[in-house]
Amino acid sequence: MTAPAIECEGLGRSYRQRTLTGGGKETVALADLSLRIEPGTVFGLLGPNGAGKTTTVRILSTLLTPTSGAACVLGHDVVREAAKVRRDIGLVLGGDRGLYGRLSGYDNLRYFAALNHLPPAMARQRIDTVLGMVGMADRAGTLVEQYSRGMKQRLHIARGLLTDPQVIFLDEPTIGIDPVGAQELRDLVPQLTAQGKTVLLTTHYMFEADQLCDTVAIIDKGRLVALGAPRDIRQRFSRVGVIELTLSAPRRGLADELRRLQGVERVTASADGPFERLTVYTPPDAAFAGCVRAAAGETGVVSVVAREPTLEEAYISLLR
Amino acid sequence: MLTNFAIQASSTYRGLFLWLAPSAYLPQVLLRPALMVVLFALAGRYAADEAAAQHLAVGRIAYSIYWVHIASLTQSFYFERIGGTAPLLFASSANRAVNFLARGLPHYANGPLVAASALVGAWLVTPFDAVAVGWPAVVVTVLVLSAASVGFGLCAGAIAFAVRSYQSAYQAIAGLVLALTGSVIPVDALPGPLAVLATALPLTHGVGALRAAFEGAPLPDIAPLLAAELAIGVAYGLAGYALFRWVEAAARRSGTLDRAAA
């Protein structure tokens, strides 16, 4: 059994807010989180805003101390051996901040290389490599304050990869990036794991987690609510059945008629070229396809398919 | 090691010093010190006599060196914090002492520059006897004051980093130095406890040295004052570093690193 890249045991973080009267209110950001992340894998941390995803990343990257439990990265305790942890990790925090706007992209990377003790020659080589990896080589000389949000995000990722770290924390890395750019960055992740690196990814995009992650953990209000491979999560934790009805043309009133069927939880309508697609959500394992077909009749029905819920649908049903 | 230090110094200076753009550097660093000396000297002459004008002009030359470093280094540390780069520094394996010192050192040259600007202002409105002035002692005093004020500026910067406010830290600290160090009001005219406090503040010894140098005192005579000034600057620099490390540790415990405003 190989040693885990990241391991948490009963990890917790709470904040105490003092009041003027001397009392205090405790807010729990993370409670009793236990995880084991194998080397060379992509681990997704999913959850709504305030669930504790970023708190987890901050604890593991030594920026925040836990108030209970323990965590190790590459065998080093994140509190007692923080300096050793910092040498081996790359941290990518999402958003517009975290760069010097008055410096060029190249100079930003040169600064962060210096912070991490890269010798000048190696720094130049790594900067060229990571700029190429994120498709920013031709804009490296431009001041960061002139970058779009997507370009800043790419530079953040380049910075996170600069030291060739063994463990990479990606906190919502594709947020704000155009779809093509986001996909290019997603394509980077398998390249990293192919080099034996471990990636901890937080994201709101379920398809991203589905596409990239070997294992996902869903946390809510600081607590772990589901853990497993995306496929397992879809199957084990989904509390919905999904039936997709495709019509050759929109049909007024049919969605309302389906909503009235007993047991149907909700119905969404979307256009798919000339077709209309009605997605009917039902309790799991319920044999609703026949009812839906009967309600729709034969005319104009292209297909009625019962399909496995997506990770997003499983996620929503789990957190509702 | 030296290259690493130089990169950190250059990057933090160019990336975080708000006045580095020509539109700000020219009026703030090159013009304002001269104008402030003119204002103080004329006010001294109007309120009292020529001796008061000279007293205030020299005091203002010395103060301008501290003023520029308090302003620039509070900016540097404050924008590190609100710009979101502090977490990346704290998650790195960077040597904190090197980083702390590197962000102060490039500001040194602004000290002699503002002193030169202020000297021009003084020359315009007060009749200095240029022959009587001990110029070597003036030059050395300006260089020592610049070094000591970088140390104090680093401390001011660490305070701005801690309180998450550039303006509050800058205004309070610059006001304290202006009021209590003898650059405007002679220390012996201060109430007792404040006069005692003044001896532990930066600039108090330096402004005395600069006044003596302008009156023709040779360098050996003012050396003790300069040594005291430098020692106080170093002490404040070390206190600033301790504060910076404490803020890092406290932020890790309390999770306050990302809070932008106090």
Side-chain angles (χ1 to χ4, degrees):
Chain A
M1 192 171 175
T2 56
I6 298 171
E7 192 169 25
C8 315
E9 189 61 49
L11 202 61
R13 173 73 213 193
S14 57
Y15 297 92
R16 189 161 187 84
Q17 293 172 313
R18 291 193 192 92
T19 62
L20 288 175
T21 53
K25 182 186 163 199
E26 191 167 78
T27 308
V28 176
L30 196 63
D32 199 26
L33 181 71
S34 296
L35 296 172
R36 182 187 163 94
I37 303 176
E38 300 303 327
T41 62
V42 183
F43 189 94
L45 207 49
L46 315 179
N49 290 335
K53 304 186 296 294
T54 298
T55 299
T56 307
V57 168
R58 285 180 171 272
I59 291 173
L60 294 174
S61 60
T62 77
L63 285 176
L64 191 63
T65 49
T67 45
S68 60
C72 288
V73 175
L74 297 171
H76 302 302
D77 186 279
V78 295
V79 177
R80 292 195 311 274
E81 300 172 291
K84 288 179 180 168
V85 172
R86 287 175 203 139
R87 282 205 305 259
D88 292 324
I89 62 169
L91 174 64
V92 178
L93 300 171
D96 280 346
R97 300 161 74 225
L99 297 164
Y100 290 159
R102 296 156 70 130
L103 301 186
S104 68
Y106 189 93
D107 284 348
N108 266 277
L109 294 180
R110 201 171 64 130
Y111 171 64
F112 288 110
L115 280 188
N116 289 287
H117 310 286
L118 288 190
M122 186 191 283
R124 281 193 293 276
Q125 185 199 340
R126 284 298 302 164
I127 290 170
D128 290 342
T129 302
V130 295
L131 282 170
M133 286 170 85
V134 299
M136 287 285 290
D138 57 336
R139 300 300 301 273
T142 305
L143 295 183
V144 166
E145 63 192 7
Q146 295 170 15
Y147 280 9
S148 66
R149 185 169 183 176
M151 289 163 72
K152 286 179 186 167
Q153 193 62 15
R154 285 164 182 254
L155 193 63
H156 273 303
I157 292 169
R159 185 190 45 69
L161 301 176
L162 199 54
T163 57
D164 202 15
Q166 282 307 299
V167 173
I168 302 156
F169 298 104
L170 300 175
D171 194 5
E172 301 185 16
T174 56
I175 205 158
I177 302 187
D178 64 87
V180 174
Q183 187 53 49
E184 285 171 4
L185 289 174
R186 282 183 208 113
D187 292 342
L188 261 180
V189 174
Q191 293 176 37
L192 298 173
T193 50
Q195 294 168 28
K197 300 182 189 309
T198 308
V199 178
L200 192 155
L201 170 80
T202 76
T203 181
H204 278 118
Y205 302 134
M206 295 303 134
F207 68 93
E208 190 167 270
D210 215 352
Q211 179 186 342
L212 297 176
C213 297
D214 301 296
T215 311
V216 297
I218 298 176
I219 55 176
D220 186 31
K221 298 186 180 75
R223 293 181 182 281
L224 184 70
V225 293
L227 175 69
R231 183 181 171 81
D232 292 342
I233 298 276
R234 288 196 301 265
Q235 289 177 343
R236 283 164 45 209
F237 295 99
S238 178
R239 294 168 192 158
V240 291
V242 184
I243 298 160
E244 274 188 357
L245 169 64
T246 307
L247 302 166
S248 56
R251 196 187 307 170
R252 181 185 288 223
L254 181 57
D256 286 337
E257 195 178 327
L258 292 172
R259 277 186 198 105
R260 284 194 290 272
L261 289 176
Q262 186 155 16
V264 168
E265 292 176 354
R266 64 194 173 102
V267 178
T268 61
S270 58
D272 183 5
F275 304 112
E276 179 179 44
R277 178 167 296 149
L278 298 176
T279 306
V280 182
Y281 297 91
T282 69
D285 306 322
F288 265 81
C291 302
V292 170
R293 183 177 285 280
E298 296 294 328
T299 313
V301 174
V302 177
S303 63
V304 179
V305 180
R307 66 160 170 80
E308 192 178 74
T310 63
L311 185 61
E312 180 161 0
E313 287 158 348
Y315 171 87
I316 290 170
S317 71
L318 197 59
L319 296 182
R320 270 191 162 181
Chain B
M1 182 70 180
L2 264 181
T3 310
N4 187 307
F5 182 85
I7 291 170
Q8 292 190 50
S10 153
S11 302
T12 51
Y13 186 68
R14 291 185 297 130
L16 297 168
F17 180 25
L18 192 64
W19 292 345
L20 199 56
S23 59
Y25 195 83
L26 198 67
Q28 293 282 14
V29 179
L30 298 182
L31 197 57
R32 182 180 154 137
L35 292 176
M36 293 310 287
V37 167
V38 168
L39 172 70
F40 274 69
L42 292 180
R45 182 181 296 157
Y46 175 73
D49 52 21
E50 202 57 51
Q54 288 205 11
H55 173 89
L56 289 172
V58 176
R60 190 71 208 190
I61 292 169
Y63 172 76
S64 65
I65 298 170
Y66 268 86
W67 163 80
V68 77
H69 289 146
I70 293 167
S72 58
L73 283 159
T74 49
Q75 287 171 16
S76 177
F77 280 81
Y78 171 70
F79 288 110
E80 184 83 80
R81 184 145 194 185
I82 64 153
T85 43
L88 302 172
L89 169 64
F90 292 158
S92 78
S93 55
N95 182 316
R96 307 296 195 262
V98 168
N99 184 266
F100 188 78
L101 191 60
R103 69 185 55 229
L105 223 56
H107 292 265
Y108 176 84
N110 289 321
L113 265 178
V114 295
S117 162
L119 194 62
V120 169
W123 173 74
L124 285 174
V125 292
T126 55
F128 279 108
D129 181 357
V131 179
V133 172
W135 288 111
V138 168
V139 170
V140 171
T141 302
V142 165
L143 296 179
V144 170
L145 274 176
S146 296
S149 64
V150 166
F152 183 70
L154 283 167
C155 183
I159 292 170
F161 191 79
V163 302
R164 300 186 288 266
S165 172
Y166 146 58
Q167 281 294 344
S168 304
Y170 160 62
Q171 301 287 359
I173 296 167
L176 185 77
V177 171
L178 181 64
L180 298 182
T181 58
S183 62
V184 178
I185 306 156
V187 172
D188 53 16
L190 294 172
L194 292 182
V196 173
L197 174 65
T199 59
L201 288 176
L203 187 59
T204 306
H205 299 86
V207 77
L210 194 62
R211 286 208 171 97
F214 266 94
E215 287 163 8
L219 196 52
D221 287 5
I222 60 169
L225 287 173
L226 294 181
E229 184 67 30
L230 199 56
I232 288 174
V234 170
Y236 276 101
L238 291 172
Y241 178 63
L243 175 62
F244 186 61
R245 294 307 308 265
W246 179 83
V247 173
E248 178 183 352
R252 196 162 273 134
R253 284 194 306 272
S254 59
T256 52
L257 203 55
D258 264 355
R259 289 188 202 161

